[in-house]
């Protein structure tokens, strides 16, 4: 049923490759009329829901998913991909260069969270406290235990 | 505050580049202990929420976001990036090659939705009906008007 | 559609009714072992995804959904209910009294957004500006056009 | 925390109470123009994101949240409430009676998952297998280990 899976090396896949493939896919089927930004956003939310369903009754799962069957991992890969493909399309139809934006965001994250704030030799409790002080402008974090893990959730623009 | 934004061309950014950058970022800050699959999934859901907030009070917005201010588009790019960066990390810590999975999914989508099922010369209503017949195994679609736009939401594995 | 639908008046349904029904439902099937907070949260996210799918290819839809078929509205009611039932369960298993919390939140919202800040005689543009000034501590709002509609999204605790 | 919290007993709060309060709240502030179905849906997704952030770096948390600080639980109650209040509004502006729909869905769930299919004396593995057979029309379940917990996620309409 699935036919031949492409032989290309997934690791080298660029966001531009995927964007071009999806734009062509949509055009060939005359689906552009459906691909408004908010339609695509809701479709993405739908896929995030399906991604969550892969994990919903499992309790905590260890990294690498050692206990998952091959078919479960394949299904998970499909749901992760669905989210990615809608994200690429949403960016495209919003006129956002996702690759460029992502590189910029990684850069901003690194400025916001300098490595030396998280030196391993500092006891964790103390480390967290200094983190709280620095981040006191970010109301969403103040109620959380594990601020250190929160690097990418903050709005680094401000 | 934002410092120098990297000069790399975003279009050529590969998923592997981003994966490597994020793995390094996390390791340098000793955050790996927080990056379990379900933690990352919930962080991704949090970012999808922030992405939705960019669009929530706007009503329908046209492609290209012609009426958005530059700072709004920049903020949107950051939220799109946050979703992408967590998706890349979630895939990594689940042991899934996201690039490979995405190429495979594009391929499966093309098999599921052959171009000739959506020929433009066929009246839309008729086109939709034939779609309904083919997809009658997919309960989630039966209540929708615009099946044609639904390409990537179906589970193509079955 | 399947069997007899209960005759109770939906309008008078209390959150406590639903909580009790769901707790009984889960106990009778010996499912309590699956109902950890994060499992229920991910199940809720899954249902929000299905709710979004009801709207994803439709473009903007007017209030009251005048163009939707009866079966579409019935399906929508089911998805809204699924979200609600998981929300009730998540609250229960977290030890949160959802009804009490909701009343408190309505109260906090009213304090945060006093009616006189949104008097209709003030030109909208000016109204928005004064809103921006007041809310300048809330970074998530600054990029949005329609701040007035944003009442319930803010963290009113701070 | 800010002002007097209402003394009403949360347990008896009806969905109709909340619906009426929110409709009044919105009208008093002249916000009805913003409350289109898809605007409210995206606002709800935003709140689900904030709800997820409460749990995102915590790993698995036991029922009752014994280790959470009071302020964390209060914040969680606010996020649960935000989701509920948008859900009530979305239902209202879609013309759906949420209480009635929820009672109907509980009823449909009970038909779909009869108690005797989950008798405790049957070994769990065998119980799961018989579940798989019965549910083989539901593609979303086939990849999951813990089908027994999946009661409310299925589309019981079919």
């Amino acid at each position: 049923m699935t036919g031949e899976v492409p032989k290309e090396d997934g690791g080298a896949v660029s966001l531009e490759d995927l964007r071009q493939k999806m734009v062509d896919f949509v055009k060939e089927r005359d689906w552009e009329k459906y691909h408004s930004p908010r339609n695509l956003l809701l479709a993405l939310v739908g896929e995030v829901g399906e991604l969550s369903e892969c994990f919903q009754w499992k309790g905590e799962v260890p990294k690498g998913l050692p206990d998952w069957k091959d078919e479960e991992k394949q299904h998970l890969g499909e749901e992760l991909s669905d989210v990615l493909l809608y994200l690429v399309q949403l960016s495209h139809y919003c006129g956002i260069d996702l690759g460029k934006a992502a590189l910029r965001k990684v850069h901003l994250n690194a400025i916001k969270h300098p490595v030396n704030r998280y030196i391993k030799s500092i006891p964790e409790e103390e480390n967290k406290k200094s983190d709280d002080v620095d981040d006191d402008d970010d109301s969403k974090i103040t109620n959380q235990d594990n601020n250190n893990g929160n690097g990418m959730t903050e709005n680094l623009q401000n």
Side-chain angles (χ1 to χ4, degrees), chain A residues 56-74:
Chain A
Q56 73 190 353
W57 300 120
K58 289 191 176 294
E60 203 56 32
V61 294
K63 289 177 190 172
L65 313 180
D67 304 325
W68 291 39
K69 295 173 216 148
D70 283 350
E71 64 182 23
E72 287 180 302
K73 288 181 112 171
Q74 183 164 291

Side-chain angles (χ1 to χ4, degrees), chain A residues 11-30:
Chain A
V13 177
S14 73
L15 291 164
E16 173 59 19
D17 289 340
L18 292 176
R19 188 194 66 76
Q20 194 56 61
K21 280 178 198 291
M22 292 316 299
V23 168
D24 292 345
F25 186 94
V26 167
K27 275 191 184 151
E28 285 164 8
R29 284 152 188 82
D30 199 22

Side-chain angles (χ1 to χ4, degrees), chain A residues 1-63:
Chain A
M1 149 64 122
T2 59
E4 233 183 326
V5 174
K7 296 235 166 37
E8 300 174 61
D9 174 12
V13 177
S14 73
L15 291 164
E16 173 59 19
D17 289 340
L18 292 176
R19 188 194 66 76
Q20 194 56 61
K21 280 178 198 291
M22 292 316 299
V23 168
D24 292 345
F25 186 94
V26 167
K27 275 191 184 151
E28 285 164 8
R29 284 152 188 82
D30 199 22
W31 285 352
E32 284 199 301
K33 55 185 172 254
Y34 303 118
H35 284 227
S36 67
R38 299 223 308 185
N39 279 9
L40 288 166
L41 174 57
L42 288 174
L44 185 150
V45 173
E47 294 302 335
V48 170
E50 296 193 24
L51 177 59
S52 294
E53 288 176 13
C54 295
F55 291 93
Q56 73 190 353
W57 300 120
K58 289 191 176 294
E60 203 56 32
V61 294
K63 289 177 190 172

Side-chain angles (χ1 to χ4, degrees), chain A residues 133-147:
Chain A
V133 172
D134 264 8
D135 283 333
D136 62 357
D137 58 321
D138 190 332
S139 61
K140 285 189 307 184
I141 287 189
T142 53
N143 284 330
Q144 298 193 359
D145 271 328
N146 300 322
N147 295 340

Side-chain angles (χ1 to χ4, degrees), chain A residues 72-127:
Chain A
E72 287 180 302
K73 288 181 112 171
Q74 183 164 291
H75 177 65
L76 174 60
E78 292 172 11
E79 299 302 345
L80 290 163
S81 298
D82 281 336
V83 176
L84 176 62
L85 295 176
Y86 275 126
L87 194 70
V88 164
Q89 290 181 85
L90 175 57
S91 302
H92 171 73
Y93 289 108
C94 287
I96 306 279
D97 184 327
L98 181 58
K100 205 177 268 184
L103 287 182
R104 180 174 169 276
K105 194 58 166 62
V106 171
H107 183 73
L108 293 173
N109 287 345
I111 293 171
K112 175 85 174 185
H113 300 280
V115 171
N116 58 6
R117 277 176 58 200
Y118 305 98
I119 300 170
K120 299 177 194 191
S121 58
I122 294 178
E124 184 158 337
E125 205 46 49
E126 202 171 314
N127 195 354

